[in-house]
Amino acid sequence: MSAPTTTTSTTSTTTATTTTTSNNNNNNNNNDSAPPSPILDHKNTFTVTDNRTGKTYTIPISHETVKSVDFRQIKELPSDFGTMIYDPGYYNTAVCKSNICYIDGEKGVLEYRGYAIEDLANNSSFLEVAYLLIYGGLPNNDQLTLWSTKIMNHTFIHENLIQLMKSFRYDAHPMGMLISSMSAMSTFYPEANPALRGADIYKNKALMNKQIFRILGKLPTIAACAYRHRIGRPYNNPINTLSFTENFLYMLDRLSETNYKPHPTLTRALDKLFIIHADHELNCSTATMRQISSTLVDPYTAVAGAAGALYGPLHGGANEAVLRMLEHIGSVENIPSFLEQVKQKKQRLMGFGHRVYKSYDPRAKILKDVTNEVFDLLGRNPLMEIAIELERLALTDKYFVDRQLYPNVDFYSGIIYKTMGFPTDMFPVLFSIPRAAGWLAHWVESVSDPDLRIFRPRQVYLGKRGLKYVPLSQRSATPQDALSSYASGMSSRRQVSDGLQGVKYDETNAIPKTANGSKSSLSQSIEDSFGLNDKLNIK
């Protein structure tokens, strides 16, 4: 049996052209695995010719897409699996139909349910936007009041969950605590677990709403507890008479005051940040949410998985990388030489360019206004001078303009968070709180979709086949470093005592003493991560 055929941008085995006439001469050829979709409009089709066999196939087009399964009928031999679409990273693959978020990367447009992100950021609160994303329309006054009350009444977390969070190491990363705590929440609500109560329980809208209230209400509390845990302060209970963002800042910062209330400018600035981060179509974490949800697992586990995807430095940790870059540049005078190094592939320009946007990220425009509001209150962060000049020089340089490298949302958000006093390891946590609204909107839409199928991507297998089993005594040795790993001095001492020969302690490969990697020059101490010893070197 031949290996599956895979279409790529470089293949020459098939050709495809649009046609305005029906071509049905081979619709049924070799069609034992996946019949083509019925054609309603013959003008909206591709005619595909397989140059290996000379056969032609008619592929329907709907909403500027074709079904990849329609290509399964294209095969060289009847016994073949059929042609698959090869698309690493899903750069050009649609896995769902959605009404939630619209992006036009060429024009720099971002809309939630048809509303421009600029209008929402300037006129709405985060909870209004969360309602819009999940339920499809902006709430009226009564709906917003009920919605806000429901969420704020679910801000308290179970005492057992508090005990779990207190059991983490003193220097545990806040994002690791958030992910673990969210996953643990699934055990607190067995009535919400389809594995225990049946796969169809979320056909009950009231039960679905209950989980939405819980997740949106409790996530800021978990985040605040993780922050307080990191700095060694007791956890604060929420106050549900405050607004959503006010309550979060209160839980972060309240000491012993009986009437503490966050500054309204900071509250509004964080609310805008939450709005622009609430959703962004099928980014990695949202796609993860949909993929996990396709198994019909409970939403707590799905949100924990989505947050795990967000944890990565190529996603939710990107704004921290921008800060590191600006700190590395050090001064405005160093920018030209830095940009030259970028052109020579010796440095990376962080915070510029985007998988989707080919012009200015609309969220970055909003953040430029937010930075001024925060700076007027807290003072101007010296990194901002470097950022502004870096943006100016990059956007007047043909090298970057030709490559459509414009500032994205991460370029300014890290500076704002830094100025507001957040440590860098809280950045992905601050991303997770609002993005949960988008995750839940996609969860509701996906589990309600009659076309929902459990995600099952295909692979292009390139490995060996038909090997003969070799008994253990006759096998040759594997490469020496196949099982290499980090080792501490204690591990080397034990291994030698256990009779393992050739084990030597290597300081360069030792396990870091702390979660921050205190033995690595690339890592920061706990104090550095909180900005206590972090001073900008201005030359």
Side-chain angles (χ1 to χ4, degrees):
M1 178 178 175
S2 301
T5 302
T6 306
T7 61
T8 67
S9 58
T10 58
T11 184
S12 60
T13 59
T14 61
T15 58
T17 57
T18 55
T19 180
T20 57
T21 61
S22 174
N23 189 340
N24 296 315
N25 61 325
N26 271 305
N27 272 350
N28 297 319
N29 285 335
N30 302 328
N31 190 23
D32 57 354
S33 56
S37 301
I39 302 173
L40 301 179
D41 182 355
H42 296 306
K43 291 183 178 181
N44 292 319
T45 63
F46 283 139
T47 296
V48 179
T49 300
D50 187 343
N51 293 332
R52 301 166 304 176
T53 64
K55 296 176 182 178
T56 59
Y57 304 83
T58 301
I59 307 296
I61 306 170
S62 177
H63 301 290
E64 297 187 21
T65 64
V66 295
K67 290 185 177 180
S68 61
V69 73
D70 286 344
F71 286 83
R72 285 276 300 279
Q73 62 185 312
I74 304 174
K75 54 183 71 175
E76 189 172 10
L77 298 174
S79 59
D80 289 349
F81 180 83
T83 302
M84 295 188 298
I85 307 298
Y86 181 60
D87 186 15
Y90 301 113
Y91 271 56
N92 194 41
T93 297
V95 297
C96 68
K97 298 175 182 177
S98 180
N99 297 305
I100 297 170
C101 184
Y102 173 78
I103 299 173
D104 186 331
E106 297 294 334
K107 298 179 180 178
V109 173
L110 172 62
E111 296 176 352
Y112 295 166
R113 300 282 190 178
Y115 292 95
I117 189 64
E118 295 85 354
D119 290 339
L120 294 172
N122 291 328
N123 300 297
S124 286
S125 67
F126 168 70
L127 284 187
E128 281 184 88
V129 172
Y131 184 99
L132 168 69
L133 289 170
I134 295 171
Y135 298 107
L138 287 170
N140 61 28
N141 188 65
D142 291 339
Q143 289 171 325
L144 180 59
T145 299
L146 180 60
W147 167 246
S148 301
T149 300
K150 290 283 189 179
I151 290 175
M152 297 308 297
N153 283 346
H154 283 84
T155 53
F156 282 83
I157 60 177
H158 199 286
E159 284 296 316
N160 291 155
L161 187 59
I162 292 177
Q163 293 170 5
L164 172 67
M165 297 190 71
K166 288 182 177 180
S167 69
F168 280 93
R169 278 178 57 101
Y170 70 94
D171 58 354
H173 196 291
M175 193 63 173
M177 294 182 66
L178 182 145
I179 294 169
S180 302
S181 300
M182 180 56 62
S183 179
M185 277 181 61
S186 66
T187 67
F188 287 83
Y189 309 109
E191 79 282 357
N193 193 333
L196 301 176
R197 293 293 183 264
D200 293 333
I201 63 172
Y202 287 119
K203 290 182 179 179
N204 184 329
K205 297 298 182 183
L207 183 62
M208 180 178 283
N209 283 336
K210 186 75 169 182
Q211 314 324 309
I212 293 171
F213 301 151
R214 284 171 171 166
I215 291 173
L216 290 181
K218 298 179 189 306
L219 195 55
T221 306
I222 292 173
C225 290
Y227 173 85
R228 300 280 289 194
H229 184 90
R230 193 76 159 80
I231 61 177
R233 290 179 179 172
Y235 302 170
N236 280 321
N237 286 326
I239 294 184
N240 56 18
T241 56
L242 298 177
S243 72
F244 183 86
T245 313
E246 273 183 322
N247 176 61
F248 175 58
L249 289 171
Y250 168 89
M251 291 187 291
L252 291 177
D253 298 332
R254 181 256 180 188
L255 295 175
S256 60
E257 304 94 335
T258 57
N259 59 347
Y260 178 79
K261 191 172 184 179
H263 195 284
T265 298
L266 298 181
T267 298
R268 182 57 185 151
L270 190 58
D271 214 47
K272 286 186 177 182
L273 283 159
F274 281 3
I275 289 172
I276 66 172
H277 282 120
D279 194 62
H280 205 242
E281 203 218 46
L282 284 192
N283 53 83
C284 182
S285 58
T286 304
T288 300
M289 181 74 181
R290 278 190 175 261
Q291 178 155 346
I292 295 176
S293 297
S294 74
T295 70
L296 300 184
V297 73
D298 66 89
Y300 304 98
T301 300
V303 167
L310 190 70
Y311 197 175
L314 295 183
H315 194 1
N319 47 14
E320 179 178 350
V322 173
L323 277 184
R324 302 299 183 204
M325 176 191 70
L326 296 175
E327 291 168 350
H328 170 75
I329 294 173
S331 69
V332 171
E333 291 74 19
N334 295 334
I335 296 176
S337 61
F338 174 80
L339 291 178
E340 285 302 315
Q341 290 181 310
V342 172
K343 295 177 186 179
Q344 298 169 16
K345 312 296 183 183
K346 295 180 180 179
Q347 295 284 355
R348 293 189 64 185
L349 183 62
M350 307 304 297
F352 278 72
H354 196 276
R355 171 86 69 87
V356 176
Y357 295 111
K358 305 307 177 186
S359 60
Y360 210 101
D361 186 335
R363 300 170 299 174
K365 294 179 181 179
I366 297 171
L367 287 186
K368 290 186 74 172
D369 295 333
V370 176
T371 55
N372 293 328
E373 297 170 5
V374 174
F375 290 162
D376 288 344
L377 181 65
L378 299 176
R380 193 173 186 84
N381 191 310
L383 291 178
M384 192 63 182
E385 301 293 344
I386 302 174
I388 292 174
E389 182 63 11
L390 179 63
E391 178 186 347
R392 187 187 71 81
L393 291 178
L395 294 185
T396 56
D397 191 311
K398 186 175 184 299
Y399 177 90
F400 300 104
V401 174
D402 288 349
R403 287 163 175 78
Q404 298 177 316
L405 296 177
Y406 298 89
N408 60 41
V409 68
D410 298 312
F411 189 66
Y412 288 108
S413 61
I415 300 175
I416 298 173
Y417 288 143
K418 186 79 169 179
T419 304
M420 291 179 70
F422 290 107
T424 52
D425 58 7
M426 274 294 289
F427 290 0
V429 174
L430 295 169
F431 202 154
S432 298
I433 295 171
R435 185 52 60 86
W439 293 337
L440 290 169
H442 284 269
W443 172 63
V444 171
E445 187 176 67
S446 64
V447 298
S448 305
D449 187 352
D451 291 333
L452 176 66
R453 302 290 184 273
I454 185 172
F455 278 41
R456 180 55 171 90
R458 298 287 184 175
Q459 66 168 6
V460 180
Y461 181 72
L462 300 176
K464 298 177 180 179
R465 293 284 315 282
L467 296 180
K468 184 178 180 181
Y469 183 79
V470 179
L472 179 60
S473 60
Q474 300 176 21
R475 297 172 197 166
S476 59
T478 56
Q480 186 71 23
D481 61 348
L483 298 177
S484 62
S485 67
Y486 293 107
S488 66
M490 183 272 288
S491 296
S492 299
R493 185 176 70 245
R494 282 186 51 84
Q495 290 171 346
V496 172
S497 300
D498 287 342
L500 297 176
Q501 300 301 316
V503 179
K504 295 182 179 180
Y505 174 61
D506 182 0
E507 176 74 18
T508 60
N509 288 330
I511 298 174
K513 289 181 178 179
T514 73
N516 289 322
S518 60
K519 293 184 179 180
S520 171
S521 61
L522 298 177
S523 302
Q524 299 286 328
S525 67
I526 297 174
E527 290 79 11
D528 286 340
S529 73
F530 274 78
L532 300 179
N533 295 328
D534 192 12
K535 296 181 180 179
L536 184 65
N537 183 21
I538 303 294
K539 298 179 180 179

